[in-house]
Amino acid sequence: MATTLTATMRAVAVTPKQPGSARQVELPIPTTARGMAVMRVLEVGIDGTDTEINQGLYGEPPPGSSFLVIGHEALSVVEAVGEGVTGFTPGDLVVSTVRRPDDCPNCRAGESDMCLFGTYTERGIKGAHGYMGEYYSETPAFMVKIPPALRPFAVLLEPLSIVEKATFQAWKIQERMVWQPTRAVVLGAGPIGILGTLLLRLRGLEVHVYAKSPPESLQGRILTDLGATYQSVDDHPVTGIKDELGQIDFILEGTGNSAVAFEAMAQLGTNGVLCLTGVSAGNRSIEIPADVINVQMVLGNRVTFGSVNANRRYFEMGLEHFQQAERTWPGIFERLITRRVPFGDFLLALDRRPEDIKTLLTIAAA
Ligand code: BGC
Ligand code: ZN
């Protein structure tokens, strides 16, 4: 009797809630089903969420699975398309979005990033396998085609989409009044802080970044090259920022540290907006100057809001801004890729170092 051999591929998986469980797994290569494309993964970016998942603090396996393939920032190339797929052909470069909808009103309207019911899934994070393997399959609705010229840094599109949403939402909220922002503060100099600074500079704002890295670090130099000022919180604590700068119209919190988020509220200027983007998976309590924050929020019509994920509209905005930013600061995005790690060394890639900005796990060449 003939046996059918299924071709397998390598992927990186964790057992969610079990610290340090990242390991290599062998899975069947997805087949080209009707309406689906199969992607060959070139490289996968690693972020704080991946690290937290591998620390057992976050993440959920797909229903019926004991493990979760991680990775949600992937640049890939279309390997094959199933019957009925239009708009994509083999060889196209693709970055896929992360979240998949449930049947809530927001998801039905194409805004699963604003999901109401919370039963969405996120590839590589919550209830669905991610992209840190040799292949994955997807439907065109969640695939974003990448112009070949963007190949060297297109893997940054997912983190860029996060700050596209954060800034777009802030400006949308401020349509509530006459708002002519001139000064922004960015907290954190990781990919979110740097890409956020870049978008704010493209909007013409004066940007001041505060983070842990020393001023002479690569982070500090990139931010200065973007035309922002950079201060280390070692000698410029967050609690002193508004005394240092004066009126602050917009603050982007990109450290993921919940204590910093509350300190930032007290730094916001009149009519200002603070956007929180950090997914703090811990369970920390702190004491805050509640009266001061409360009265400032009220008397200054201030807003603090949270922003998570990004639907494909923000990925598309990111493609525009990639091109605009490359014209303004040639080579800027490639400078953010500070480490490329081959597949076999995935544990080294998941281990975050202070000098890292973006680490990539490289899975295939071209
Ligand atoms: C991802 C988002 C996701 C969020 C919360 C982030 O790291 O970039 O797509 O929604 O984590 O799970
Ligand atoms: Zn929903």
Side-chain angles (χ1 to χ4, degrees), residues 101-108 111-112 114-120:
D102 58 18
D103 59 357
C104 83
N106 301 74
C107 285
R108 282 167 182 264
E111 297 195 338
S112 63
M114 295 297 198
C115 180
L116 180 64
F117 293 168
T119 46
Y120 60 82

Side-chain angles (χ1 to χ4, degrees), residues 224-243:
T224 311
D225 292 347
L226 286 171
T229 73
Y230 178 76
Q231 308 284 4
S232 165
V233 283
D234 289 342
D235 37 29
H236 295 262
V238 174
T239 48
I241 296 180
K242 81 166 183 312
D243 292 337

Side-chain angles (χ1 to χ4, degrees), residues 152-184:
F153 46 81
V155 67
L156 298 172
L157 184 55
E158 197 278 343
L160 181 60
S161 74
I162 299 293
V163 287
E164 290 286 357
K165 176 179 174 182
T167 48
F168 180 89
Q169 291 289 318
W171 262 252
K172 191 88 191 153
I173 288 168
Q174 292 302 87
E175 286 175 11
R176 70 193 171 117
M177 60 166 73
V178 174
W179 192 57
Q180 290 158 346
T182 57
R183 182 178 294 138

Side-chain angles (χ1 to χ4, degrees), residues 290-313:
D291 281 343
V292 173
I293 292 177
N294 181 73
V295 75
Q296 283 182 1
M297 294 288 290
V298 171
L299 296 185
N301 290 293
R302 293 165 173 87
V303 171
T304 296
F305 77 103
S307 177
V308 70
N309 191 253
N311 65 52
R312 72 172 299 137
R313 181 197 332 152

Side-chain angles (χ1 to χ4, degrees), residues 259-318:
V260 174
F262 280 85
E263 282 171 2
M265 281 183 208
Q267 302 306 310
L268 212 46
T270 304
N271 293 349
V273 193
L274 162 64
C275 176
L276 307 179
T277 65
V279 180
S280 39
N283 190 21
R284 188 153 51 123
S285 294
I286 53 162
E287 210 169 283
I288 55 162
D291 281 343
V292 173
I293 292 177
N294 181 73
V295 75
Q296 283 182 1
M297 294 288 290
V298 171
L299 296 185
N301 290 293
R302 293 165 173 87
V303 171
T304 296
F305 77 103
S307 177
V308 70
N309 191 253
N311 65 52
R312 72 172 299 137
R313 181 197 332 152
Y314 302 111
F315 283 69
E316 279 155 13
M317 288 177 188

Side-chain angles (χ1 to χ4, degrees), residues 82-96:
E83 224 183 295
V85 169
T86 54
F88 289 91
T89 49
D92 285 346
L93 290 170
V94 164
V95 170
S96 295

Side-chain angles (χ1 to χ4, degrees), residues 26-43:
E26 293 276 326
L27 293 173
I29 295 177
T31 52
T32 18
R34 193 185 157 76
M36 308 274 289
V38 172
M39 260 64 66
R40 187 162 55 85
V41 180
L42 301 176
E43 53 201 18

